[in-house]
Amino acid sequence: MAGPPGDPPEGAPEGVPGGGEDEYRSVVFDESFVRAARIQEYSARERLDGTSRAVRVRHMWPVAGAPRQALILVVLIAVAFGTAIYLGIRHPYSSSGPEAVEPLRITVIPLVPPGPVPAVNVKSLYANDPAAHYRAGAEGLPLPTARRVGDFTESQVMQALSSTKEYLVASALDPEAVTGGGVRAVRDLIDPGQVDQFDRSLSAPGDDGQHAATGWLVRLDPAKVRLADQKVRVNGTITVSQVGDDRLEVVADHTFVYAVQGVTGSGAAPGATSLFTVRREMRFRFDRDDLRDHHLEVVQADVAAGPLSCTAPAADYFRPLLAGQSPQGPATADPYDRDRPAASVCAGLANGATGTPAAPFATSSAAP
């Protein structure tokens, strides 16, 4: 046989120096290589026993040890997962919780008229009245030009002003909220730290300087009055400044004028219309979280409203004296009565602040 053993009959392939034997010199089939092979040929006895396959696949680790290693792998995954959850909850840089927000301070002063409330002409409700030049609805709440204030950018100041106007519209101009309806739009704007105080003010109002519903919004008793004109007249100012290092303060000082009529059983002259006036000085504050989340903090509400009677409660609803009605007693305050807050007082309503009387109406014919 020509050629060295292992060569093909026709000799070594061309182009391979020294024959094909040198081609496999770099491959060493030592004992460790053979032992690590994934495929192992069955022995002669195993083949005689009827094994259908000529080879068997060798596992990476002994089968007997597989459950133990799988268990270890599961434990490691569980530990890693638990660690990730723990670090997510107890992140060293996370905030300790929402910052405490000071409660709203409320002062509501009923304004008592000097005599019977006059009716106004339905066709010219505000003629010859101080509210004659007031704008109607949201048009009466123009915003000042937004400029950078201290550490707050122009866009942040604009956000604070827009939130303030939105609150004023929802709390004093929305007919549904004003007449005892839904107040969701007001509640959604309030900082989460004040929501509990707001909810308690509506569910259990009190004349304690913090929980009068009429401090948060203008609220007329639907069992006594209704709006004769859906377009409330309003006029006032809005100013903005920086308080401390990280808060904006917006002060909204407005007078709202409502045309109202009594409902059946209210004791007012049927069809007679009168004016109800509310002055609100509201103080709002915004931190950077409020600006980001479209919230505001209502920190102070000073409200004077009339014509009202000193004897009528004003914490839950305003119950205006209607056309032809007179107050029960003068505006008084007892300095010896410490059961009521010092801010819970009445004041006299100036002459002419209830509108110009309609000529055909006689107030003496109405029930007091």
Side-chain angles (χ1 to χ4, degrees):
M1 182 179 294
D7 287 345
E10 61 272 11
E14 294 182 3
V16 180
E21 183 178 357
D22 291 341
E23 183 179 359
Y24 303 100
R25 287 180 180 176
S26 61
V27 181
V28 180
F29 297 98
D30 57 6
E31 183 179 358
S32 61
F33 177 84
V34 174
R35 189 175 300 163
R38 296 289 301 275
I39 300 176
Q40 182 180 18
E41 185 179 1
Y42 285 104
S43 65
R45 180 177 298 277
E46 290 172 331
R47 290 196 298 272
L48 290 175
D49 290 341
T51 303
S52 60
R53 297 176 57 187
V55 296
R56 62 170 174 262
V57 179
R58 301 184 64 183
H59 298 283
M60 293 299 295
W61 55 73
V63 176
R68 178 183 300 176
Q69 296 198 22
L71 179 61
I72 294 174
L73 181 61
V74 171
V75 171
L76 289 177
I77 293 175
V79 171
F81 187 71
T83 302
I85 294 177
Y86 176 80
L87 292 178
I89 297 175
R90 298 296 297 264
H91 194 282
Y93 301 105
S94 62
S95 60
S96 58
E99 185 179 353
V101 179
E102 64 177 293
L104 168 62
R105 302 185 303 275
I106 300 172
T107 301
V108 177
I109 301 176
L111 301 178
V112 183
V117 176
V120 295
N121 194 324
V122 177
K123 295 182 179 180
S124 55
L125 292 173
Y126 311 100
N128 302 319
D129 189 81
H133 66 281
Y134 287 8
R135 295 181 181 178
E139 293 183 358
L141 299 170
L143 296 178
T145 302
R147 295 186 177 88
R148 183 183 182 90
V149 176
D151 299 327
F152 292 88
T153 65
E154 179 181 328
S155 62
Q156 290 175 320
V157 172
M158 190 64 217
Q159 175 62 49
L161 292 172
S162 299
S163 296
T164 297
K165 181 173 181 177
E166 189 174 346
Y167 183 92
L168 295 175
V169 170
S171 64
L173 298 178
D174 179 21
E176 182 180 359
V178 168
T179 55
V183 295
R184 181 64 180 270
V186 179
R187 189 179 189 273
D188 288 344
L189 287 169
I190 296 172
D191 186 283
Q194 292 184 314
V195 169
D196 289 344
Q197 183 188 6
F198 176 80
D199 290 343
R200 180 182 167 185
S201 298
L202 268 68
S203 62
D207 188 13
D208 58 359
Q210 289 189 345
H211 297 100
T214 48
W216 296 93
L217 67 162
V218 177
R219 201 155 171 82
L220 304 177
D221 187 356
K224 298 293 184 181
V225 297
R226 66 180 184 86
L227 292 177
D229 183 8
Q230 300 289 318
K231 296 181 178 180
V232 180
R233 299 300 179 98
V234 57
N235 187 49
T237 60
I238 298 178
T239 59
V240 59
S241 61
Q242 180 170 343
V243 177
D245 297 332
D246 58 351
R247 289 178 185 265
L248 276 176
E249 181 174 272
V250 178
V251 178
D253 187 358
H254 291 86
T255 299
F256 300 85
V257 184
Y258 304 84
V260 296
Q261 292 177 344
V263 300
T264 304
S266 62
T273 304
S274 59
L275 299 182
F276 180 68
T277 306
V278 180
R279 180 182 175 185
R280 304 171 81 203
E281 184 176 338
M282 309 290 293
R283 193 173 301 271
F284 307 95
R285 285 184 185 166
F286 303 81
D287 59 22
R288 299 185 189 276
D289 291 340
D290 292 326
L291 295 173
R292 181 195 63 213
D293 299 333
H294 194 54
H295 288 146
L296 50 77
E297 302 172 24
V298 193
V299 297
Q300 187 171 347
D302 295 324
V303 182
L308 293 170
S309 176
C310 267
T311 58
D316 53 351
Y317 291 103
F318 289 126
R319 297 171 175 85
L321 292 171
L322 301 171
Q325 295 180 336
S326 299
Q328 298 178 3
T332 60
D334 185 359
Y336 295 96
D337 182 7
R338 289 189 296 273
D339 292 334
R340 302 183 66 181
S344 178
V345 297
C346 289
L349 183 63
N351 288 325
T354 54
T356 302
F361 183 76
T363 58
S364 60
S365 62

